[in-house]
Amino acid sequence: MPLKLLAQLSTRNLFRHRRRNLMMLLAIVVAVAGVILTNALIRGMQYDMREAAVANLTGHIKVLAPGYLDDPNIEKSFRLAPDWQPDVPAGEVEGWAARIRIPAVIMSERETRGIQFVGVDPARENISFLGDVTLIGEGLKDAEDGRVLIGVELARQLETEVGRRLVIITQGLDGKNREAGFRIAGLYDAEGTALEKQFVFTGVGALQKMVNADVVTEVSVKLQDDALVTDDKLELDVKSRLASFFSTLDVMDWQELEPQAAAMFVYVDSAILIWFLVIMGALIFGLVNTLVTAVMERIREFGMLRAVGMKPSAVVMQVVLESTIIMLVGVSVGIVVGWLLCTAWLGDGIDLSRWSEGIEMAGMRSRLTPRLMGHDVILVTVLSLVFGVIAALYPAWRAVKLKPLEAIRR
Amino acid sequence: MSDLVVRCHSISRTYQDDSVPVRALVDVDFEVARGEFVSLAGPSGSGKSTLLNIIGGLDRPDAGTVEVDGVGLNQLSESDLSDLRLHKLGFVFQAYNLIPVLSARENVEFIMQLQGVPAGERHGRAEAMLEELGIESMADRRPGEMSGGQQQRVAVARAIVTHPVLLLADEPSANLDSTTTEELLKLLRRLNEEHGVTIVTATHDPLVMSYARRQVRLRDGRIIEDSAREAA
Ligand SMILES: Nc1ncnc2c1ncn2[C@@H]1O[C@H](COP(=O)(O)OP(=O)(O)O)[C@@H](O)[C@H]1O
Ligand SMILES: [Mg+2]
């Protein structure tokens, strides 16, 4: 039985009932475009949350002294050779930074707060949120800069401002408390207030002098985003290279450091699939119904076709083709519409700043941009076609259930 | 022997209708020689269609044997029967003969397509057949755009374009007026006389019977009269 002939019959039968099939087609287009758009928005959220988690001084991979996470202090530190470079092919790593990050107490004339005191090389911090904050006053000049950069919110709480002095107390390597005065170089305005309250920055060299030790507490590595998408083993690969270099230290990835964000990241993958299955499941009922109607009104025709010698398998194939063609057209148009919605309509993202409090808690940014991913589109296409075939099975069975003679006598 | 296209020996068929058995055929012997034009006649419900369907491999007898072109049908599987219908038989039913979404030409080509006849040969044979039957002007119309008589002509064209060993026509004129019926019958007679097509029709229309060379009369599932036997 030539497939071409069957396809011709199927197409013409679809055209014969234009209105009914157009309605069905429209339903598929709306469902597919809707799924594409919501998937892209959920993906946007998913990657936002990961990026926020990673930008939160975490990086994709971090090297720490054993025990640092349980009790972060300057004793849980290590020395880094001045000419150290991660032993990783270029193009895979976006950047890396070595820092000291220790708990400290900060005091203004009026208030005292507990903070994380972070010594950084500002030139390397393009990999963290520090790279794209808005500054009031000045940033840190270099790793030896002995001034501090504090958050806008912390400055408000401490009732202080740019140019004023603050006193910071932290523990040195010898276990004794060190106290030093710092001038405020500038205030940073991060997204939300959580980071602003938590982190106070100074030059890593200056902090080393203060604690009197030539050490760092962490090396944070950020991988290339594009390389991450194309190569899902990249993270593990870089992690194991670092682990073999820093054999006495802990090398952890962002999933271990931010387990909540990581769990969310995995959960979203299944949420996308479930959402798609629910929508398609609902659609299937409509499709089965349309196909059964189409089959029943042609039952005598099917009887005649089999009476003149057409095989039952060819009849089944014809119904399956009708279903698949409708799906294929619907999915193609749906994907184009979904893509247009993602780019032309919501290409600039949705402004969520009105709900900034809640969004910050969820670890998202204030602008949600849809992220249309190739493998999501492929998944939607392939599964839709599978659904198209499944939807055809019952109608096809109805088409061949009757013996040819019974069908003709109807 | 080999000139017998149909050999039915002692066939019976009983339908179980609402638990009341209906004996549609009772111990029927029936033979058709190559080149014959036979009309199965008899009142409605006498078993004409049942006999035709059994010969056509669309129904099976409860008892007795059927041979078509030397092939015993009793032993054949459904799929073999389907092949037999495709390659050896031509059918013209009372209605719903044609595929509504195909043009007359495409309908005529359809069975050849199922048989796998190459496109070039198919087009040529369809063209010639449409011309022969005087419906070439209808070639590109779909069934819905043709009269009942024109549709039946296309159905005949489709049934015989494959050169079947036997053409089975069940009440081919049921939906036609008498003028159109006569045209259709003239066509069948011409096909029988000029091309040697073997034809069996079932009808309760005396006009149709008068065109056949041999009349077989059924009543209550039995053959009560056969013009061939009387002649012998
Ligand atoms: N599928 C069937 N189920 C039940 N009874 C049937 C069926 N087909 C035919 N019959 C019965 O068998 C008898 C013969 O029918 P049929 O061969 O169609 O007669 P005809 O074609 O001469 O009008 C009728 O009584 C009819 O009701
Ligand atoms: Mg009948």
Side-chain angles (χ1 to χ4, degrees):
Chain A
M1 184 78 203
L3 203 65
K4 208 177 120 203
L5 175 62
L6 286 178
Q8 185 187 43
L9 280 178
S10 300
T11 325
R12 289 207 191 162
N13 274 304
L14 288 174
F15 268 101
R16 192 168 165 215
H17 298 281
R18 256 181 229 106
R19 208 177 58 193
R20 182 172 71 207
N21 290 315
L22 219 65
M23 288 316 241
M24 193 60 234
L25 201 66
L26 211 62
I28 298 173
V29 169
V30 169
V32 169
V35 163
I36 292 278
L37 179 64
T38 48
N39 276 5
L41 285 173
I42 297 171
R43 283 273 183 238
M45 196 178 87
Q46 178 189 31
Y47 278 79
D48 248 27
M49 286 163 86
R50 184 178 80 179
E51 228 154 83
V54 167
N56 188 10
L57 299 190
T58 303
H60 289 110
I61 298 164
K62 203 178 235 186
V63 182
L64 297 162
Y68 175 86
L69 280 183
D70 294 332
D71 178 17
N73 68 60
I74 194 68
E75 284 164 35
K76 309 284 171 23
S77 60
F78 54 97
R79 255 169 232 285
L80 195 65
D83 57 348
W84 182 81
Q85 286 282 336
D87 168 31
V88 169
E92 293 185 355
V93 168
E94 191 181 317
W96 63 276
R99 309 180 184 115
I100 298 180
R101 176 169 161 187
I102 45 176
V105 170
I106 193 164
M107 291 181 293
S108 67
E109 298 91 330
R110 295 172 186 277
E111 293 286 340
T112 302
R113 288 281 184 280
I115 49 124
Q116 299 272 319
F117 198 22
V118 190
V120 296
D121 178 352
R124 295 212 160 274
E125 289 301 331
N126 59 325
I127 64 164
S128 69
F129 76 93
L130 203 52
D132 49 34
V133 290
T134 319
L135 286 176
I136 299 165
E138 284 176 32
L140 298 171
K141 276 201 303 291
D142 52 38
E144 305 306 321
D145 197 329
R147 300 172 297 163
V148 291
L149 190 60
I150 71 173
V152 171
E153 175 64 16
L154 185 63
R156 199 184 59 74
Q157 292 183 349
L158 293 173
E159 297 177 40
T160 186
E161 56 188 46
V162 177
R164 302 272 280 274
R165 287 181 65 84
L166 294 166
V167 172
I168 297 178
I169 305 169
T170 187
Q171 204 184 58
L173 199 51
D174 51 12
K176 294 194 181 122
N177 277 351
R178 307 286 163 106
E179 185 178 322
F182 291 86
R183 187 172 298 281
I184 300 174
L187 311 181
Y188 67 86
D189 187 354
E191 242 181 64
T193 57
L195 297 172
E196 293 173 12
K197 284 187 280 194
Q198 195 182 0
F199 295 115
V200 172
F201 297 95
T202 188
V204 64
L207 188 46
Q208 283 171 340
K209 275 187 203 112
M210 179 180 176
V211 296
N212 199 18
D214 189 15
V215 295
V216 294
T217 61
E218 65 183 48
V219 172
S220 171
V221 177
K222 185 162 187 242
L223 302 174
Q224 276 289 357
D225 255 346
D226 295 344
L228 264 181
V229 170
T230 49
D231 178 4
D232 51 2
K233 290 197 195 59
L234 177 63
E235 203 176 285
L236 273 178
D237 182 43
V238 174
K239 190 179 164 188
S240 69
R241 280 161 187 269
L242 289 170
S244 66
F245 184 83
F246 294 106
S247 54
T248 59
L249 301 176
D250 285 348
V251 178
M252 306 178 87
D253 53 36
W254 68 274
Q255 288 94 330
E256 295 167 296
L257 295 162
E258 301 274 348
Q260 213 176 328
M264 201 64 181
F265 196 82
V266 175
Y267 156 78
V268 163
D269 280 339
S270 17
I272 280 181
L273 189 64
I274 290 168
W275 171 236
F276 175 67
L277 291 180
V278 166
I279 293 284
M280 275 298 160
L283 207 60
I284 286 282
F285 287 103
L287 188 56
V288 170
N289 191 42
T290 303
L291 290 171
V292 167
T293 312
V295 162
M296 290 323 285
E297 70 193 8
R298 262 151 64 206
I299 202 73
R300 283 206 208 84
E301 186 184 322
F302 285 128
M304 182 273 292
L305 289 174
R306 289 184 50 211
V308 299
M310 191 162 166
K311 293 227 173 340
S313 61
V315 173
V316 168
M317 193 64 196
Q318 200 189 318
V319 179
V320 169
L321 272 175
E322 262 166 59
S323 179
T324 317
I325 289 170
I326 232 183
M327 262 298 186
L328 200 63
V329 175
V331 167
S332 309
V333 177
I335 286 173
V336 172
V337 172
W339 172 76
L340 282 175
L341 291 177
C342 287
T343 52
W345 186 43
L346 293 180
D348 296 336
I350 305 171
D351 187 6
L352 302 174
S353 48
R354 262 182 294 171
W355 300 280
S356 56
E357 295 266 315
I359 281 167
E360 191 191 317
M361 284 206 302
M364 287 165 58
R365 312 218 158 155
S366 61
R367 183 161 282 279
L368 176 57
T369 316
R371 192 173 172 126
L372 193 58
M373 302 191 77
H375 64 256
D376 285 339
V377 174
I378 292 170
L379 180 85
V380 167
T381 311
V382 171
L383 282 185
S384 301
L385 293 182
V386 171
F387 274 122
V389 173
I390 291 172
L393 293 183
Y394 171 69
W397 175 75
R398 290 287 297 264
V400 292
K401 183 179 68 155
L402 290 179
K403 288 190 173 160
L405 198 55
E406 292 166 25
I408 295 171
R409 289 173 62 108
R410 281 264 161 130
Chain B
M1 272 284 272
S2 67
D3 255 276
L4 285 183
V5 176
V6 177
R7 284 180 67 186
C8 297
H9 180 63
S10 187
I11 55 172
S12 297
R13 179 72 169 102
T14 305
Y15 291 109
Q16 208 63 39
D17 204 11
D18 292 331
S19 76
V20 184
V22 179
R23 307 183 75 191
L25 287 179
V26 185
D27 200 24
V28 168
D29 286 310
F30 178 59
E31 292 177 346
V32 178
R34 204 172 301 276
E36 275 194 299
F37 185 172
V38 187
S39 142
L40 300 177
S44 182
S46 56
K48 307 181 294 291
S49 294
T50 304
L51 181 55
L52 215 59
N53 291 333
I54 286 174
I55 295 169
L58 290 168
D59 198 358
R60 290 178 191 271
D62 304 314
T65 57
V66 189
E67 265 179 39
V68 171
D69 201 29
V71 180
L73 302 195
N74 301 54
Q75 298 79 262
L76 296 187
S77 68
E78 287 301 321
S79 158
D80 291 340
L81 283 177
S82 175
D83 275 342
L84 178 108
R85 294 198 297 268
L86 178 60
H87 293 284
K88 293 205 165 179
L89 304 179
F91 288 92
V92 177
F93 302 104
Q94 181 175 328
Y96 304 106
N97 275 296
L98 303 178
I99 302 164
V101 295
L102 298 185
S103 69
R105 187 200 312 277
E106 289 165 334
N107 264 290
V108 172
E109 285 190 29
F110 184 78
I111 293 177
M112 289 191 282
Q113 257 174 304
L114 292 185
Q115 290 176 338
V117 177
E121 186 187 339
R122 216 164 63 211
H123 298 327
R125 271 161 71 178
E127 203 62 44
M129 185 54 64
L130 287 165
E131 216 166 293
E132 164 101 45
L133 269 54
I135 43 177
E136 66 269 31
S137 60
M138 303 285 143
D140 295 315
R141 292 199 193 169
R142 292 198 182 178
E145 302 160 341
M146 291 185 264
S147 72
Q150 289 164 343
Q151 287 185 39
Q152 287 306 69
R153 275 171 178 263
V154 176
V156 171
R158 187 189 65 187
I160 62 169
V161 74
T162 56
H163 307 308
V165 295
L166 177 64
L167 174 66
L168 298 170
D170 193 353
E171 309 275 5
S173 64
N175 297 323
L176 306 181
D177 61 41
S178 57
T179 331
T180 328
T181 301
E182 226 163 329
E183 275 167 15
L184 183 69
L185 289 166
K186 278 181 192 151
L187 170 65
L188 290 179
R189 183 145 77 185
R190 189 157 61 81
L191 290 170
N192 173 250
E193 284 171 358
E194 292 174 15
H195 298 270
V197 181
T198 310
I199 302 173
V200 180
T201 83
T203 185
H204 62 275
D205 181 352
L207 188 60
V208 179
M209 299 170 210
S210 68
Y211 271 82
R213 280 188 293 166
R214 173 181 161 201
Q215 273 92 33
V216 175
R217 202 169 284 278
L218 283 98
R219 186 182 295 157
D220 298 332
R222 293 171 208 271
I223 292 179
I224 53 163
E225 198 185 317
D226 186 340
S227 60
R229 280 186 207 160
E230 277 146 42

